[in-house]
Amino acid sequence: MRKASVLGPVLFAVSFVIAFVLSASAGAAPVHAPVRAQVQVPPLPARMADTGGGSQLITAEAARPGSTTGTVTWWDRLSDGRWVVAGSAVARFGAKGLVEGAGRKQGTSTTPTGLYRLPYAFGIEAAPAGTEYTYRRVTKTSWWCQDTASRAYNRWVESLPADCRAAESEHLTAYRPQYAHAMVIGFNYDRPVRGRGAGIFLHVNGRGATAGCVSVPEAAMSRILAWADPRHNPHIAIGTASGRTALTRY
């Protein structure tokens, strides 16, 4: 009888404690793992060393120097300084990839990296609707002189001058569809270094990789020409995602 009288209160107390603990556990607030703040990466132009000083920019980015494809993106800088994407397209580069522009050699089928101005546009076809950029129409006598011995090296000429060999130049009408619409990239243009390269353009895709230019689908090229505004001083930056030829270096 004594043992029963002692165990009764003890069992009752244990049951009460268990019930209290279970009740407290059921009503406890769930424990959540700490939430990590997401860091937003600034847009590519905001991470570049230079964008040319205007409010329009084209970036042509490849994954690595040996790549023959990548992405062309055209950007607008808003009044508050933010860069926003205006459009993008798959791009093609030189058959031998990309190389630092300052060290490039002519005839290597490499696309020169760097930041360049866009002197003017041209094409075999009429300028796309909405084009405000200076646009030069190709004729049957239009050539791009690439002869390193010529005074017209890396220049458009109407009929070949005597010192510019046809075998060392491009007859522009022969490059259809590539030159249906195009923009001159100012690589080695203002003060040409002979042997560094000539005739580097942003143009319509051909059958495959380029001889050193940057190319995009025809629809994208038309959109770029309708978008580009000379008053906004557009430039083009060509480079890779990282490394010595990274776009962020230019």
Side-chain angles (χ1 to χ4, degrees):
M1 295 298 293
R2 288 182 181 178
K3 291 181 180 181
S5 63
V6 172
L7 288 174
V10 171
L11 291 173
F12 176 79
V14 170
S15 300
F16 179 82
V17 170
I18 292 173
F20 177 81
V21 170
L22 291 175
S23 177
S25 299
V31 177
H32 296 284
V35 178
R36 295 182 179 179
Q38 293 184 351
V39 178
Q40 291 187 347
V41 178
L44 178 56
R47 291 180 279 120
M48 292 172 57
D50 189 7
T51 58
S55 56
Q56 286 189 331
L57 178 70
I58 300 172
T59 56
E61 184 178 48
R64 57 189 65 87
S67 300
T68 59
T69 60
T71 305
V72 159
T73 306
W74 47 108
W75 307 77
D76 287 309
R77 189 178 65 183
L78 304 182
S79 58
D80 61 3
R82 290 183 299 117
W83 286 96
V84 296
V85 174
S88 65
V90 174
R92 293 175 180 169
F93 300 102
K96 297 295 180 64
L98 297 86
V99 68
E100 180 70 49
R104 184 183 185 271
K105 294 183 179 180
Q106 186 163 316
T108 56
S109 294
T110 54
T111 298
T113 63
L115 176 68
Y116 307 105
R117 69 186 188 92
L118 297 160
Y120 60 90
F122 69 93
I124 296 172
E125 305 295 337
T131 300
E132 296 186 17
Y133 225 72
T134 299
Y135 189 89
R136 191 168 185 178
R137 192 77 181 269
V138 172
T139 72
K140 293 181 180 180
T141 59
S142 300
W143 290 75
W144 196 274
C145 181
Q146 300 181 359
D147 190 336
T148 57
S150 175
R151 289 175 294 178
Y153 178 66
N154 201 21
R155 286 293 184 273
W156 175 306
V157 291
E158 284 297 322
S159 298
L160 281 174
D163 68 345
C164 187
R165 294 168 292 172
E168 297 295 324
S169 303
E170 288 188 347
H171 193 192
L172 298 182
T173 56
Y175 292 86
R176 188 188 297 268
Q178 292 96 322
Y179 298 162
H181 299 114
M183 297 184 83
V184 176
I185 294 175
F187 166 73
N188 200 32
Y189 187 79
D190 294 328
R191 296 180 179 178
V193 175
R194 298 177 188 279
R196 182 163 291 171
I200 300 298
F201 311 129
L202 172 63
H203 63 69
V204 176
N205 282 340
R207 293 183 177 180
T210 73
C213 296
V214 179
S215 73
V216 293
E218 183 177 6
M221 193 68 233
S222 294
R223 289 176 59 196
I224 290 171
L225 286 175
W227 159 85
D229 188 336
R231 295 169 296 184
H232 295 161
N233 192 24
H235 282 63
I236 184 168
I238 305 169
T240 53
S242 60
R244 295 179 61 184
T245 53
L247 276 171
T248 50
R249 291 184 57 242
Y250 302 116

